[in-house]
Amino acid sequence: MRFGTMLKDIVDSFFKKSATQLYPIERTPPPKRYRGALFYDPKACTGCCLCVKDCPSKAIELVILDRAAKRFVLKYHMDRCVYCGQCVVNCKFKCMGMSNEDWEHAVLKKEFMVYYGKEEDIAQFMENIATPVTGATSG
Amino acid sequence: MNNMPPLIAILFFPAGLTLIFTGMFYEWIDRKLVARFQNRVGPRWFQPFADAVKLFAKEQITPGLANPFLFFGLPIIAISGALTAALYVPLMGLAPVHSFPGDLIVTVYLLSLLTMCIGLAGWNTSSRFSLIGATRALTQLFAYEAPFLLALLGPALAAGSWQISEVNGYAQTHWLVLSQPIGFIVALIGLMGKLELPPFDSPEAETEIVAGALTEYSGRGLAIFKIGKSIELIVGITLVSAFYLGGLEGILPFLLKTIAVLLVMTVFQSLLTRLRIDQTVGLWWRFGTILVLLQIVFMIFLRGYPL
Amino acid sequence: MNIEQNLQKAEQLLEAWKKETTRPEPDRLDVSISVDDLHPAVGALHEAHWGYLSAITGLDLGVDSGQLESLYHFCNGAAITTLRVRLPRTGDAALPTIEDIIPPATFFERELHEMLGFKIVGARNIDRLFISDDWPEDVYPLRADFTIDQAKPVEGRHADELPEQGVVGGNTFVVPIGPQHPALKEPGHFEFTVDGEVVTAARMRLGYAHRGIEKAAESRNWIQNLYLFERVCGICSHTHAMAYSLGVEKLAQVEAPARAQAIRELVAGLERIHSHLLWLGVTAHEAGFDTLFMYSWRDRETVMNLLEQLTGNRVNYSANVLGGVKCDIGVEQAKAIKDGLNYLETRIRHYLEVVTTDTMFLNRTRGIGTISFAEAENFGLLGPTARASGLVRDVRVEAPYGAYKQFPISAVTATNGDLEARCVVRLNELLVSCFAIRTIIDNLPEGPLTVKMPRKVPAGETIARVEAPRGELFYYIKSAGGENPARVHIRTPSLCNWVSVLEKAVGRQLADVPMLIAGMDPCFSCNDRLVTVTRTGERNTWSWKQLRQYGIEYYKQ
C-alpha cells in the first residue's frame, strides 16, 4: 500500500516536453499506408465498374463517355466516402489508390464532389450535364 | 492598519480588484501546474480571465423551482464573504487592510460563508444533482472545519494572540513549520478540503453529479461563484503561509511562499484519487482531528510549563 | 470431452423433446422442438450445466411461409446447440419466457419482442429495450413485410418517455445518469433511486445509439456489409469484421490463408491493447484519478500509431477483406511494432503496480462490486468481467478460431471479483497479448494474403464466435444463396454484462455507481444496432427558438 505511486511520472514530466502536438503549427506526416482521399488514374481503367459495385456508401460513380475509346469520368463524393479502400482492392488494373497526403478535409459545404479523368473528358461530361444527352451513364 | 486610504485599499490595492486578478492568476498557475504534471500543455495565462468574461456574456437560465431572490443573491453574498475575509489577511505581504483582536475567527468564518452559500445555492435550485452536491458540500464543511481551525490555532497559541497581524509578526521570527510540522500538514490538507480541490472534490465530482451544487448555474452567477472560489484560494494560501512559513514581510516573500504552497498542493492534486464523501469525513474525523489535537496538547505542555 | 462427445451429451439431454436434429457443421447441433417443450428443454440443459445461453436469434421465414422462428443458442466450450422453435406469424402463439431459469435471457427476449413481434408469456418486464418510445405499436422492424412508411412517430409521445421524476418522498429521489452525463462516454440512460447517498433501486434504458445495422445489412451485398459491421463499434471494430469474415468464409467453404489469419490475430491483439488502455483511462477518470487517465491515454497513442502504420487508419482499421487481409507486415512495420511493444510493456507493468498498490485508488476499487463465481455464472457474464470472478469464459481458449490454434493465448483469471480484480485481469491480458504479438511476428507463416471468394455465397446458416476485448461476440449469419445476406444477428458482450451493474449498484453509494458502470467496460455502440432510425424525408430541424423553448418547458416540471 503506497501513497502517490505516480510521483516519479509527475516529477519527470514537469521537466520533459509535453505530449501534446500543437496542430496546426506542428504537423506529423501520416505513414505511407494511411488512407486519405482517393485518386484515380484514367489511363489504365477499362470501365469494369467493380469499384462502384462494392462501395459501402455509394461514394464513386463511373461515367462512361465512350467505352471503346476508354473515355471515363470518375465522380467521387468525398463526403460519402468512408475511406475503407475496398475500391482499391477490387481494381485489377491498379488505377486507384488512397493518398496519404490529402487528408485534411474540413470544408464548409457538405456536398463535396471531385471529378477525375482526362481534361477533355471532364469538359465533355460537364457539357453533357448542362445539355442532357441520352446515352451511356452508369453507376 | 494600512497606511493607504481605506477606500483605495478596499477597492483597488491590495484587496478588491487586485485581489480578484491575483486570484485568477493563481488559479491559472494551479491549472498550468496540474497540466504540466500530467504531461499536457495547459492553458495560457489569460484563460481564467477569458472564462470570466465569457461567462459574464452568457445568458443566465433560472430553474423554475428555484427562488429567484436566493438564486441571484447567493453568489453575491458568497463573494462578499470572500472579499471581506481578505481584508484581514496580509495580502501581498503588506499589513492587513483592517485588523482587530479576534479577527482570525472572523476570517475563517467568512471563508466558510462561501461554502455555506454554495450549499444553500444547491438546495435552492433543487435539481437532483445539485441536491446531492449541496449535501456533500455541507457534510465536508462539518468535517474539515474543526481540524483546519485547530491547525491555525497552533500558531495563534504560540504567538499568544487571535489577531492575524500579530501572529504574522510573531511568525516572521519563528519558523513554525519546523516546530509544529504536524500542524502544518493538517493545515495544508485542510486547506485542500476547504477549497474542494482533488482529492476532496467529492461535492463537485464531475463524473458522478455533473457539477454538484453549481450544476444549474450559468452566466453571471457561475462567474461570480468561480471568482469567489479563486479569492478563497488566495486568502487560504496567504493564511497558511503567513502562519507557518515564517510570516509575509513583503511582496517578494509573499509570491515565493504562496507559490511554494500552491506547488505542493498541485502535486497532491495530481497524485491522489478522489475520495468518496464518507471516506473524506472518516479521514478527517479520525486522522485530522486527532493529529492536530495531539499537536496542540504537545504545544500547550511545551509552553505551559513555565506558567 | 471433445466437441463430438459434448454434442452427443446434449442430444441425449434433449431426447424427450426433440422433433428433428441436424448437424449443419461439425461443431453445431440443431434441435427443432415445439413451443410447449421449450421450457423443459432449456431447464434440462441448465440443470446439467451444459454450457450457457449465448444468444437468442429471431428469424422471419418470409410472408409466404407464414412462420417466425426463434433460435436459442447454448455454447459449451466449442460446441453449440441451437434449439429451434417455430411460431405462426399471426395469431396468439407465444413463447414462454425462460428468464426464471436463466435470468439474463430477459434482455434477449425483450429484443425479440420489439424487433420481430414475438409474444413472450410470463415475462416480468417486456418494455422496449432499444426502440424509442414514440415508435408505433405493432410495427416490427425486422419483419420481412416492414416498409419505411410504417415508421411514423406516434403523436404526443417523446422519444424517451421517462417515468415520474423528482422527489419521491422524504430523502429518496431518482438520480438520472444519462443520456447526457460526464460519466458516460456514449449515451445510455440509468436511473438510480437514491436515499441520501445509498442507492436503493436501479433501472436502465438503452438504444440511444441505435442505427439499424441488422436491417441495413439485408440490403447490402456481402462485401459492403463487411464495412458496415466494422462500424458497429469503434474500439472493437476489428473483432466485428473478423467475426463476420470468419462466418462468411465458413459459409462459402473457403479458408483464409495462414498468413492472413496470423495477421488478423496480430491486429486483434493490438486492438485489445488499445481497448484496455482506453478502459483504464476511463475508469481512472470516473474515480477522479485524472493523472492515470492522461498517462494511459498518452500511451494509447503509441499503439494507435502502430495500427496506423500497419493498416492505414487509427480506428476502423479495415484490415480484413472477405477471404484474407489487406495489409501485409513488412520489415519496417515489424520493427516498429516491436519497439512500440517494448515501450508499452514497461508502461503496462507500471500501471499494474499503480493499480494494485496505490492506496487512494484502492479505496475506490478494492471490495467494490464484488461478484462471486456463482453469481457470475448465474448472471451469464462474459469477458474480463467474468474472468475476474474466476469464471473462465474465453472463446480464444475454449474454441480457438483462426490463428489461435497455432498461436494460443493463455486465459487470465482472478478470484476476487471486485473492481481491482477486473483491472488486474485486463492489464495482465495485455501482457499476454504483447507476448503473443511478438511470437506471431517472429513466426509469421509465408503465403498469399487472400483467397478467392465467390460473389454469391451459398445458402446456409453459420455461427461465428470471436473474443472481443469485452467478451464473447456472437454472429449468426444466414444466406439464401444471393448477393445479400438474408439475416445477420449480432449479440455483443456488453448486453450480457449489464446485469452486473444493475444488481450490484443496490446498497452501494452513489459515488460507486460510475465505477461499477466503468468496471464492466460498457460499449453502448456495440449494444445498439437494430432497427432503422433513418426516417428519410422527416428531418427534425429545430430553430434556435424552438430548441430554447423545449429547454424551458423541460425544466419547468
Side-chain angles (χ1 to χ4, degrees):
Chain A
M1 302 285 251
R2 282 169 47 204
F3 249 133
T5 40
M6 298 200 74
L7 185 60
K8 189 171 178 310
D9 288 304
I10 290 180
V11 172
D12 280 343
S13 93
F14 191 65
F15 300 106
K16 275 196 309 201
K17 189 174 171 306
S18 78
T20 319
Q21 183 185 57
L22 291 169
Y23 181 83
I25 306 175
E26 297 171 16
R27 274 190 173 95
T28 44
K32 258 193 316 186
R33 289 188 185 176
Y34 185 73
R35 294 195 298 270
L38 184 68
F39 60 84
Y40 161 82
D41 181 10
K43 290 201 238 4
C45 180
T46 57
C48 67
C49 288
L50 267 180
C51 54
V52 178
K53 245 193 241 179
D54 282 339
C55 176
S57 45
K58 297 197 180 48
I60 326 182
E61 294 172 23
L62 191 69
V63 176
I64 303 183
L65 294 168
D66 190 344
R67 196 186 280 269
K70 293 220 181 153
R71 298 180 64 196
F72 307 110
V73 172
L74 189 85
K75 282 165 70 176
Y76 173 47
H77 294 262
M78 219 186 266
D79 56 323
R80 292 189 204 167
C81 177
V82 290
Y83 305 98
C84 64
Q86 181 68 33
C87 47
V88 177
V89 166
N90 269 3
C91 181
K92 293 198 261 276
F93 307 99
K94 306 270 186 296
C95 18
M96 318 254 268
M98 302 210 89
S99 138
N100 75 332
E101 283 160 21
D102 182 11
W103 51 276
E104 287 162 303
H105 289 152
V107 289
L108 290 169
K109 281 194 305 192
K110 193 164 169 169
E111 262 302 308
F112 192 3
M113 182 93 80
V114 178
Y115 295 98
Y116 286 118
K118 300 200 193 84
E119 292 283 329
E120 57 269 17
D121 295 341
I122 299 185
Q124 164 139 24
F125 172 64
M126 293 302 202
E127 252 179 62
N128 287 356
I129 317 184
T131 59
V133 170
T134 56
T137 49
S138 117
Chain B
M1 289 275 200
N2 222 329
N3 49 9
M4 275 197 234
L7 208 57
I8 302 273
I10 293 179
L11 287 180
F12 295 108
F13 185 85
L17 277 182
T18 316
L19 174 64
I20 293 181
F21 286 128
T22 321
M24 290 204 223
F25 180 66
Y26 272 62
E27 184 190 332
W28 169 73
I29 298 182
D30 175 59
R31 285 168 70 172
K32 184 77 175 171
L33 281 175
V34 170
R36 291 302 297 133
F37 285 140
Q38 292 174 352
N39 210 202
R40 295 183 284 134
V41 174
R44 285 192 284 180
W45 64 270
F46 51 79
Q47 187 68 39
F49 307 102
D51 285 341
V53 167
K54 174 200 83 167
L55 279 175
F56 274 115
K58 283 201 177 240
E59 174 190 11
Q60 190 158 341
I61 301 177
T62 320
L65 281 179
N67 181 342
F69 286 123
L70 278 181
F71 192 78
F72 291 119
L74 281 169
I76 301 178
I77 300 177
I79 202 177
S80 47
L83 283 171
T84 319
L87 294 177
Y88 303 108
V89 290
L91 285 177
M92 307 293 168
L94 305 172
V97 175
H98 200 76
S99 182
F100 60 87
D103 60 6
L104 174 61
I105 305 291
V106 174
T107 310
V108 176
Y109 168 71
L110 283 172
L111 287 181
S112 313
L113 185 64
L114 184 88
T115 318
M116 281 195 271
C117 281
I118 291 183
L120 205 60
W123 171 84
N124 181 36
T125 45
S126 43
S127 119
R128 267 131 335 140
F129 299 123
S130 59
L131 279 174
I132 298 186
T135 322
R136 288 185 185 183
L138 294 173
T139 314
Q140 193 159 307
L141 176 72
F142 291 139
Y144 66 68
E145 197 60 30
F148 184 60
L149 191 56
L150 288 174
L152 290 180
L153 196 56
L157 277 179
S161 154
W162 287 91
Q163 194 165 350
I164 295 183
S165 47
E166 287 188 17
V167 182
N168 191 19
Y170 176 82
Q172 286 174 13
T173 43
H174 301 77
W175 274 66
L176 288 165
V177 64
L178 298 170
S179 52
Q180 299 181 24
I182 300 180
F184 175 60
I185 296 176
V186 175
L188 198 62
I189 301 187
L191 185 61
M192 290 179 74
K194 194 175 194 59
L195 299 169
E196 286 171 14
L197 293 173
F200 305 112
D201 64 341
S202 193
E204 47 155 309
E206 179 211 6
T207 52
E208 298 154 26
I209 44 175
V210 186
L214 301 181
T215 313
E216 304 293 340
Y217 272 85
S218 52
R220 285 195 311 271
L222 186 62
I224 295 178
F225 266 126
K226 285 183 107 158
I227 297 176
K229 283 196 157 181
S230 41
I231 295 176
E232 193 187 22
L233 174 74
I234 214 181
V235 171
I237 294 182
T238 315
L239 213 51
V240 170
S241 46
F243 277 29
Y244 280 99
L245 287 181
L248 300 172
E249 308 93 66
I251 291 195
L252 191 61
F254 169 80
L255 283 175
L256 288 176
K257 291 177 185 171
T258 46
I259 292 185
V261 171
L262 192 56
L263 187 71
V264 174
M265 282 188 359
T266 42
V267 169
F268 279 139
Q269 275 183 56
S270 326
L271 264 186
L272 306 172
T273 317
R274 177 191 309 141
L275 290 174
R276 277 199 322 242
I277 192 69
D278 63 325
Q279 290 166 341
T280 315
V281 173
L283 181 78
W284 277 113
W285 281 114
R286 269 180 279 163
F287 291 113
T289 317
I290 294 182
L291 279 178
V292 77
L293 278 177
L294 279 177
Q295 171 79 73
I296 289 187
V297 163
F298 182 67
M299 242 216 38
I300 290 182
F301 272 128
L302 213 57
R303 266 182 71 86
Y305 247 109
L307 283 175
Chain C
M1 226 201 293
N2 64 12
I3 301 183
E4 187 53 44
Q5 292 167 325
N6 243 337
L7 291 175
Q8 277 174 353
K9 179 153 180 264
E11 222 176 314
Q12 282 172 334
L13 287 168
L14 298 167
E15 195 60 48
W17 305 286
K18 63 174 193 213
K19 287 197 299 195
E20 190 191 324
T21 44
T22 46
R23 292 284 187 94
E25 281 170 314
D27 55 352
R28 283 177 54 206
L29 169 71
D30 273 359
V31 179
S32 301
I33 54 178
S34 85
V35 66
D36 305 308
D37 296 332
L38 177 63
H39 201 272
V42 169
L45 284 176
H46 186 75
E47 295 289 310
H49 288 279
W50 198 96
Y52 57 94
L53 177 69
S54 189
I56 305 181
T57 309
L59 294 178
D60 185 347
L61 296 174
V63 188
D64 304 326
S65 75
Q67 285 186 322
L68 300 172
E69 190 172 12
S70 111
L71 308 169
Y72 292 74
H73 305 281
F74 286 83
C75 297
N76 187 4
I80 308 177
T81 302
T82 307
L83 301 175
R84 307 180 78 111
V85 178
R86 292 200 178 192
L87 288 179
R89 290 169 70 102
T90 50
D92 289 327
L95 287 174
T97 180
I98 56 170
E99 70 177 20
D100 45 344
I101 316 177
I102 303 177
T106 168
F107 283 130
F108 304 143
E109 288 175 346
R110 281 164 73 178
E111 186 188 328
L112 269 189
H113 170 72
E114 67 184 357
M115 295 300 170
L116 279 160
F118 280 94
K119 295 191 193 33
I120 312 279
V121 169
R124 262 180 312 155
N125 181 3
I126 204 68
D127 288 347
R128 289 189 168 152
L129 185 63
F130 293 124
I131 301 190
S132 55
D133 284 320
D134 60 350
W135 187 267
E137 299 284 334
D138 294 332
V139 171
Y140 303 113
L142 279 178
R143 289 222 178 174
D145 53 351
F146 171 78
T147 49
I148 195 71
D149 33 311
Q150 287 179 314
K152 287 202 176 351
V154 172
E155 290 295 322
R157 279 182 73 94
H158 282 291
D160 189 2
E161 289 275 343
L162 305 170
E164 269 304 303
Q165 304 283 357
V167 183
V168 172
N171 282 331
T172 12
F173 53 81
V174 178
V175 177
I177 296 199
Q180 272 84 32
H181 194 276
L184 302 174
K185 302 300 165 245
E186 289 155 312
H189 188 73
F190 298 89
E191 286 155 21
F192 293 101
T193 313
V194 175
D195 182 2
E197 272 282 319
V198 178
V199 175
T200 50
R203 205 174 151 267
M204 186 176 84
R205 187 90 170 69
L206 295 174
Y208 292 88
H210 234 187
R211 290 150 288 162
I213 291 185
E214 287 189 9
K215 185 81 181 176
E218 293 172 12
S219 51
R220 286 167 168 72
N221 70 32
W222 294 98
I223 302 183
Q224 289 172 328
N225 273 329
L226 178 64
Y227 298 102
L228 181 67
F229 288 120
E230 202 178 50
R231 281 151 178 79
V232 167
C233 177
I235 357 177
C236 19
S237 78
H238 176 80
T239 36
H240 279 276
M242 190 155 70
Y244 177 75
S245 312
L246 283 176
V248 176
E249 285 161 12
K250 266 204 263 188
L251 274 179
Q253 277 143 8
V254 146
E255 198 172 318
R259 192 178 175 90
Q261 302 274 30
I263 296 179
R264 278 181 182 168
E265 183 180 339
L266 191 143
V267 176
L270 284 175
E271 183 183 60
R272 183 170 289 257
I273 297 179
H274 162 218
S275 171
H276 284 326
L277 280 178
L278 185 147
W279 171 85
L280 182 66
V282 168
T283 305
H285 181 62
E286 310 280 357
F289 195 4
D290 276 340
T291 312
L292 183 58
F293 167 50
M294 297 292 172
Y295 278 96
S296 57
W297 277 43
R298 179 199 68 178
D299 296 329
R300 194 177 72 112
E301 293 294 315
T302 314
V303 74
M304 291 182 98
N305 286 338
L306 287 177
L307 281 164
E308 193 186 17
Q309 262 191 323
L310 178 60
T311 60
N313 204 357
R314 284 155 56 99
V315 185
N316 290 338
Y317 322 121
S318 295
N320 282 310
V321 279
L322 291 179
V325 293
K326 266 195 208 122
C327 51
D328 198 359
I329 302 187
V331 172
E332 47 174 275
Q333 277 100 18
K335 182 171 181 320
I337 294 180
K338 283 197 170 167
D339 290 339
L341 284 182
N342 285 340
Y343 172 71
L344 282 170
E345 276 196 332
T346 338
R347 295 303 298 172
I348 293 173
R349 281 184 220 280
H350 176 59
Y351 295 139
L352 205 50
E353 195 194 321
V354 169
V355 158
T356 46
T357 55
D358 191 289
T359 323
M360 308 282 274
F361 193 66
L362 285 175
N363 267 340
R364 298 299 299 271
T365 53
R366 191 170 271 183
I368 295 180
T370 314
I371 299 184
S372 67
F373 183 88
E375 282 178 322
E377 246 187 334
N378 205 19
F379 291 156
L381 296 182
L382 298 170
T385 319
R387 296 202 275 277
S389 305
L391 182 61
V392 181
R393 288 224 175 120
D394 191 337
V395 185
R396 300 171 295 172
V397 169
E398 298 177 321
Y401 50 91
Y404 285 99
K405 301 185 191 86
Q406 191 186 353
F407 302 105
I409 297 272
S410 45
V412 177
T413 54
T415 44
N416 293 345
D418 57 4
L419 287 175
E420 184 200 353
R422 291 179 214 169
C423 291
V424 169
V425 161
R426 287 188 170 102
L427 287 172
N428 278 326
E429 275 186 10
L430 292 189
L431 294 174
V432 168
S433 284
C434 288
F435 177 71
I437 295 175
R438 285 217 174 84
T439 322
I440 295 179
I441 294 184
D442 289 334
N443 303 318
L444 202 57
E446 296 296 326
L449 282 182
T450 57
V451 82
K452 187 128 170 54
M453 278 275 290
R455 280 197 80 85
K456 293 197 177 162
V457 172
E461 295 176 345
T462 183
I463 290 178
R465 293 161 65 207
V466 152
E467 181 76 12
R470 283 156 189 75
E472 174 196 321
L473 182 63
F474 185 97
Y475 263 68
Y476 166 88
I477 306 177
K478 177 174 174 182
S479 165
E483 285 207 353
N484 295 357
R487 171 91 168 99
V488 181
H489 178 237
I490 314 174
R491 196 275 295 135
T492 50
S494 298
L495 188 60
C496 298
N497 287 340
W498 285 119
V499 191
S500 68
V501 170
L502 295 178
E503 297 281 331
K504 287 293 156 186
V506 177
R508 293 228 59 102
Q509 298 209 6
L510 184 65
D512 292 325
V513 161
M515 295 291 290
L516 285 175
I517 297 178
M520 57 148 285
D521 204 358
C523 185
F524 293 86
S525 314
C526 272
N527 273 326
D528 312 333
R529 293 150 278 102
L530 302 158
V531 174
T532 50
V533 180
T534 49
R535 301 190 187 128
T536 49
E538 239 176 291
R539 295 159 145 268
N540 261 346
T541 36
W542 284 3
S543 68
W544 168 238
K545 254 186 157 174
Q546 283 174 312
L547 187 66
R548 198 161 166 271
Q549 193 60 29
Y550 179 69
I552 294 173
E553 307 276 2
Y554 183 68
Y555 276 100
K556 274 217 183 111
Q557 3 147 323

